[in-house]
């Protein structure tokens, strides 16, 4: 039984970007940390939508700003691997 790649070899048909999912996942991994950093800044200096998410007068660890900051730090791994090359 022929595989798809073997049957299309003689016809000159090429599969479109066989490593596209790998490339896309690498770009998405690099996009996570700056996106969360931007959301941190927008939440910190934004229009006060944080009042919906947390009780007023709560601790400094409550709210969206610390959560976005931690998420940005947790997603820095791909950037550190890129800089280590």
């Amino acid at each position: 039984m022929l595989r798809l790649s073997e049957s299309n070899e003689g016809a000159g048909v090429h599969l479109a970007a066989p490593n596209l999912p790998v490339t896309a996942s690498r770009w998405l991994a690099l996009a996570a940390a700056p996106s969360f950093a931007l959301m941190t800044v927008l939440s910190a200096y934004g229009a006060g939508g944080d009042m919906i998410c947390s009780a007023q007068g709560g601790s400094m660890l409550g709210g969206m700003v610390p959560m976005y900051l931690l998420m940005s730090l947790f997603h820095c791994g791909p950037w550190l691997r890129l800089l280590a090359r």
Side-chain angles (χ1 to χ4, degrees):
M1 180 171 202
L2 289 175
R3 288 185 288 197
L4 181 63
S5 62
E6 292 172 351
S7 65
N8 288 334
E9 239 174 58
V13 176
H14 299 284
L15 296 175
N19 62 352
L20 182 64
V22 174
T23 304
S25 68
R26 288 180 183 159
W27 280 105
L28 284 174
L30 287 173
S35 298
F36 286 123
L38 178 66
M39 290 191 297
T40 302
V41 172
L42 291 176
S43 295
Y45 299 110
D50 198 28
M51 293 173 64
I52 295 171
C53 300
S54 65
Q56 200 165 3
S59 71
M60 288 296 290
L61 295 177
M64 298 303 286
V65 174
M67 184 209 45
Y68 286 141
L69 185 63
L70 283 173
M71 289 176 75
S72 180
L73 291 174
F74 289 147
H75 286 90
C76 281
W79 282 101
L80 295 174
R81 281 192 296 276
L82 183 68
L83 293 175
R85 288 188 198 183

